[in-house]
């Protein structure tokens, strides 16, 4: 599961980069990652038990709607503009549909809502730690 590997990476990053106890970490994930936030938080809560620096940390998750750009028409559009197309893909394949497993496959399954081209790219697909709060201090990471 991707959620466990992401939770592991967050915990590892915190342990390797902070010496004081952490009270809260804010993680930004793209909407298009299709991560299960509940599983991500459960994984984080299990993994944090292994180190006193993060054992009491709270994980806050912010969902960021990605922007897409059509290389053919050079127009940008939001996930909400193609949500119906993604829903059709999900309905065709079931729970383990290709875009959940590999979001990079988006251009093979959806088209630009303006010109119908499959030559599209995602902008803002990064998963990153936006903020870390240590007990008594706040440190921004991004």
């Amino acid at each position: 599961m991707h959620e466990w590997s992401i939770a592991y990476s967050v915990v590892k990053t915190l342990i390797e980069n902070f010496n004081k106890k952490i009270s809260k970490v804010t993680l930004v994930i793209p909407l298009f990652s299709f991560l299960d936030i509940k599983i991500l938080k459960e994984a984080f809560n299990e993994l944090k038990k292994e180190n006193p620096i993060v054992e009491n940390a709270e994980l806050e998750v912010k969902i960021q709607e990605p922007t897409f750009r059509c290389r053919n028409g050079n127009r940008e559009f939001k996930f909400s503009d193609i949500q119906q197309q993604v829903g059709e893909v999900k309905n065709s394949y079931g729970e383990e549909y290709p875009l959940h497993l590999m979001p990079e496959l988006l251009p093979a399954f959806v088209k630009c809502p303006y010109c119908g081209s499959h030559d599209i790219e995602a902008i803002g697909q990064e998963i990153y730690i936006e903020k870390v709060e240590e007990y008594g201090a706040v440190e921004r990471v991004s």
Side-chain angles (χ1 to χ4, degrees):
M1 286 191 189
H2 303 305
E3 292 84 357
W4 278 85
S5 61
I6 291 169
Y8 174 79
S9 295
V10 170
V11 169
K12 183 177 179 189
T13 299
L14 296 172
I15 291 169
E16 291 176 353
N17 293 286
F18 292 88
N19 295 322
K20 294 182 180 178
K21 290 189 175 196
I22 295 167
S23 60
K24 185 176 181 181
V25 58
T26 304
L27 184 68
V28 177
I29 63 170
L31 174 68
F32 192 58
S33 67
F34 302 111
L35 292 172
D36 185 320
I37 304 305
K38 182 179 176 186
I39 294 174
L40 178 62
K41 286 185 173 187
E42 288 173 1
F44 178 82
N45 288 334
E46 282 300 314
L47 294 168
K48 73 181 187 178
K49 294 176 183 177
E50 299 175 11
N51 191 288
I53 289 176
V54 292
E55 67 185 353
N56 295 316
E58 172 194 348
L59 176 64
E60 177 185 12
V61 178
K62 289 186 180 179
I63 307 297
Q64 179 175 322
E65 182 177 5
T67 301
F68 300 92
R69 187 177 69 81
C70 175
R71 291 183 186 126
N72 187 47
N74 201 30
R75 291 189 70 177
E76 290 188 359
F77 52 95
K78 295 283 188 184
F79 181 78
S80 55
D81 296 323
I82 59 170
Q83 192 166 2
Q84 182 178 350
Q85 293 181 59
V86 173
E88 291 168 2
V89 172
K90 186 175 182 178
N91 290 339
S92 295
Y93 287 90
E95 187 176 319
E96 295 300 323
Y97 61 106
L99 298 178
H100 173 76
L101 300 173
M102 294 184 65
E104 304 83 23
L105 293 175
L106 177 92
F109 291 95
V110 299
K111 300 180 276 190
C112 169
Y114 300 107
C115 72
S117 172
H118 284 281
D119 192 8
I120 59 178
E121 67 178 332
I123 302 167
Q125 283 293 99
E126 300 82 18
I127 296 174
Y128 61 93
I129 296 173
E130 179 182 65
K131 182 172 57 172
V132 175
E133 295 179 24
E134 296 175 317
Y135 283 100
V138 176
E139 182 170 330
R140 295 203 178 272
V141 176
S142 60

